Amino acid sequence: MNRYVIVGTGVAGVSAAQAIRATDPAAEITLVSEDPHGFYSRPGLAYYLSGEIPDKQLWLYAKEDWQRLNVRFVAGRATRLLPGEHRLELGPAGALTYDRLLLAVGAKAVRLPVPGADLDGVAYLDTFEDARRLVALARRARSAVVVGGGITSLELTEGLAARKVRVHYLLRGDRYWPAVLDETESRLVEHRLVEDGVHLHYNTELVEVLGRRGRVAAIRTEKGEIIPCDLLAVAIGTRARLELAQQAGLETQRGILVNEQMASSVPDVFAAGDCAQVFDPLTGQWVMETLWNPARWQGYAAGLNMTGYETKYHHRPSFNVTRLAGLTVTIIGSLGGSRDDDLLTIARGESEAWRFGLEGVTLYQTADVNRLRLVVGQKTLLGALVMGDQTLSIPLQELITDQTDITPIREQLLRADVPLDKLIFNFWQATHPRQRGDQHG
Amino acid sequence: MGKSDSFPKVASRQEVLAAGHIVPAEGRCIQCGICSFNCPIGIDVRRHAWLGEPVVEAHCLTCGECVRRCPRGVLHFEQLKIFGGSS
């Protein structure tokens, strides 16, 4: 009987367990996690914070699902991996031996590197415990400061604002999320934030957190300004949890390097999800992503390979749909971006690949809060951003993911004598008739 | 941007009421459960999205609440081809 150990109970770990169970019904599968809340929708935490769903909605697996999966849970922290002995130490909880092991340990929010950052009332958004703490803090907070960038910083800003907390959002530069958005898009988001009552502070750097009796009372900026607050929410990026991997001698960069089988550089040790760094054929680079669906696919591929059923994980063009200040935004492929001082790494819900600038021509179309940005390559679309009206979200996801040859419309696209959206939509219908064409008519 | 009415017409809610269902798009759902939470008759829409299956449930009212509430554009109406061929 094969013994599989999976470290982490996020979507990558659970998907791996699913794949193993489907392929090896007799397998002994052990899931190790230090998160007492097990498997829940991590991206859903934002909607719990905003009050759109109650906490219990976050758990997607029912008792019967766990029975079917038939796994053993070990609560505890994996302290040391000994690949030569096929052994995982768990500190006081003992040790486990394995035939194949998966590291699906995820990523952790980067801590704020300023004095006072350890005060009570400084919060991050990694786990359900963090989200619950934020909700409790928001209940008695009158005003909050948010620092950071990307999707998570806005989830924090909007979630706190929805809970009637007065929010000061500090930006180190002169606009929001320059790593991915262009200036027009940043401004669209910022205007909406201001309309929602958020106080935006541009060119403002937090240098110290000031406390009273061990609790956050205010923050001080580089310019000497003091902003009183009861809560400081931080989203300056995430880093893969690499301690176990590095100590065990696995090859790592920003994440654990894995091949297309999701295998690490050390025999019988695999990695998947936010802690893994995978090869992206579109950009030719090894990328980090903190995205739910790729984590699920990676976990599944890892699980199959762990049982000996060889399969390749094909990295697809990086994709996410999110809401920024109430505007739905689809981001696909590579867009190229500017320097972003608000983020030390990527935040949650992001891909490094979005920031890569590939050789292409960028086209735009804007109307009111609706914006379309396309990066047009020689033969394919390389990236797209759809803000507001989402009619083109699925069409562009499919055209970019499928690497559809755009030669028939490329010249017309660049000439721009026909509205971009119409051209793309008609081309998608013509090239993807089976997927969705049947619902229009 | 060209107005959205310049797009070919998408099947209206009335048109799918009699013979339609909700379909999840692949690779978008993050299992937040907003859809299930807001379904007026308690269909676990999120489970369908996890399994990648259309919501083919006799009780579904196709009221569109889940489609409207989904923050990730996962859910769409699709017409059932009850007579075969394209509609």
Side-chain angles (χ1 to χ4, degrees), chain A residues 46 49-50 146 151-165 167 176 189 193 196 198 322-327:
Chain A
L49 180 61
S50 65
V146 176
I151 294 169
T152 311
S153 67
L154 276 208
E155 288 175 344
L156 289 165
T157 300
E158 295 175 81
L160 292 168
R163 289 183 180 271
K164 310 285 179 222
V165 180
V167 182
Y176 166 69
V189 173
L193 286 175
D196 289 344
V198 172
T322 188
R323 233 173 25 190
L324 304 175
L327 285 172

Side-chain angles (χ1 to χ4, degrees), chain A residues 41 47 53-54 57 65 292-293 296 316 320-321 365-367 389 393-394 397 421 425 436 438-439 441, chain B residues 1-2 4 8-11 26-34 37 46-47 50 71-72 76-78 81:
Chain A
S41 171
Y47 310 119
I53 46 167
Q57 204 65 29
D65 293 313
W292 171 273
N293 280 291
R296 185 180 177 190
R316 309 185 196 186
N320 201 3
V321 185
Q365 198 172 293
T366 315
D389 185 325
S393 177
I394 284 180
Q397 182 189 7
D421 55 354
F425 192 87
R436 309 210 86 83
D438 55 342
Q439 67 168 312
Chain B
M1 182 181 280
S4 51
K9 195 168 125 305
V10 174
E26 206 223 337
R28 288 183 166 236
C29 180
I30 46 89
Q31 293 289 304
C32 67
I34 285 181
F37 181 63
R46 175 241 300 265
R47 161 67 48 154
W50 175 250
R72 310 269 173 155
H76 298 266
F77 282 120
E78 235 171 58
K81 289 183 228 160

Side-chain angles (χ1 to χ4, degrees), chain A residues 24-291:
Chain A
D24 186 351
E28 182 190 296
I29 308 172
T30 306
L31 262 65
V32 181
S33 176
E34 54 182 319
D35 188 334
H37 301 290
F39 177 42
Y40 50 89
S41 171
R42 219 229 57 92
L45 294 176
Y47 310 119
Y48 162 57
L49 180 61
S50 65
E52 284 164 271
I53 46 167
D55 57 0
K56 68 171 173 24
Q57 204 65 29
L58 296 165
W59 282 268
L60 53 143
Y61 257 37
K63 204 172 154 197
E64 307 81 68
D65 293 313
W66 291 117
Q67 279 165 353
R68 211 171 304 129
L69 202 55
N70 188 17
V71 293
R72 182 163 72 104
F73 284 100
V74 174
R77 185 184 167 81
T79 50
R80 197 152 74 116
L81 173 61
L82 302 156
E85 299 169 34
H86 284 67
R87 219 169 104 87
L88 179 74
E89 292 182 353
L90 301 167
L96 294 166
T97 48
Y98 64 84
D99 295 308
R100 299 271 160 81
L101 177 131
L102 176 70
L103 290 173
V105 291
K108 188 176 160 66
V110 176
R111 304 289 124 167
L112 189 68
V114 304
D118 52 352
L119 284 163
D120 193 14
V122 178
Y124 300 85
L125 186 55
D126 264 343
T127 61
F128 174 66
E129 207 51 51
D130 291 335
R132 194 155 68 173
R133 199 165 145 259
L134 270 159
V135 169
L137 285 167
R139 235 172 246 143
R140 49 173 199 254
R142 271 183 307 179
S143 72
V145 166
V146 176
V147 290
I151 294 169
T152 311
S153 67
L154 276 208
E155 288 175 344
L156 289 165
T157 300
E158 295 175 81
L160 292 168
R163 289 183 180 271
K164 310 285 179 222
V165 180
R166 169 199 266 269
V167 182
H168 297 270
Y169 181 23
L170 274 47
L171 290 166
R172 289 176 72 166
D174 59 4
R175 65 183 178 94
Y176 166 69
W177 206 15
V180 173
L181 303 186
D182 70 7
E183 190 169 349
T184 307
E185 292 148 8
S186 294
R187 298 299 177 225
L188 284 170
V189 173
E190 292 161 19
H191 285 152
R192 302 272 294 210
L193 286 175
V194 172
E195 276 176 21
D196 289 344
V198 172
H199 301 262
L200 279 178
H201 301 252
Y202 296 101
N203 302 305
T204 302
E205 192 180 336
L206 185 158
V207 290
E208 190 182 0
V209 191
L210 307 170
R212 196 183 307 125
R213 289 191 222 108
R215 290 193 48 81
V216 172
I219 62 100
R220 191 165 61 81
T221 72
E222 195 182 33
K223 290 174 244 167
E225 192 188 354
I226 307 280
I227 303 175
C229 59
D230 322 289
L231 162 58
L232 170 62
V234 182
I236 54 176
T238 62
R239 286 208 182 94
R241 295 173 189 265
L242 294 178
E243 301 82 354
L244 274 180
Q246 284 172 339
Q247 156 271 310
L250 275 63
E251 210 178 313
T252 61
Q253 284 176 6
R254 297 179 302 291
I256 301 165
L257 292 180
V258 291
N259 63 16
E260 286 174 305
Q261 280 80 39
M262 304 310 294
S264 77
S265 60
V266 162
D268 300 325
V269 178
F270 295 72
D274 294 358
C275 68
Q277 194 175 345
V278 299
F279 186 71
D280 174 22
L282 191 70
T283 57
Q285 307 209 39
W286 294 81
V287 298
M288 294 295 292
E289 292 186 329
T290 49
L291 298 166

Side-chain angles (χ1 to χ4, degrees), chain B:
Chain B
M1 182 181 280
K3 293 223 175 79
S4 51
D5 64 8
S6 68
F7 291 117
K9 195 168 125 305
V10 174
S12 73
R13 190 174 153 241
Q14 284 72 22
E15 282 169 308
V16 293
L17 266 173
H21 55 191
I22 306 292
V23 180
E26 206 223 337
R28 288 183 166 236
C29 180
I30 46 89
Q31 293 289 304
C32 67
I34 285 181
C35 50
S36 302
F37 181 63
N38 286 290
C39 176
I41 57 164
I43 295 175
D44 193 356
V45 182
R46 175 241 300 265
R47 161 67 48 154
H48 289 80
W50 175 250
L51 300 172
E53 292 169 354
V55 183
V56 184
E57 296 219 10
H59 303 295
C60 176
L61 308 168
T62 57
C63 66
E65 199 58 25
C66 57
V67 176
R68 209 166 22 250
R69 300 266 189 164
C70 173
R72 310 269 173 155
V74 175
L75 303 165
H76 298 266
F77 282 120
E78 235 171 58
Q79 280 176 291
L80 287 173
K81 289 183 228 160
I82 45 175
F83 304 113
S86 65
S87 47

Side-chain angles (χ1 to χ4, degrees), chain A residues 322-342:
Chain A
T322 188
R323 233 173 25 190
L324 304 175
L327 285 172
T328 305
V329 183
T330 300
I331 308 165
I332 322 162
S334 293
L335 293 155
S338 315
R339 185 191 150 105
D340 194 331
D341 291 329
D342 291 312

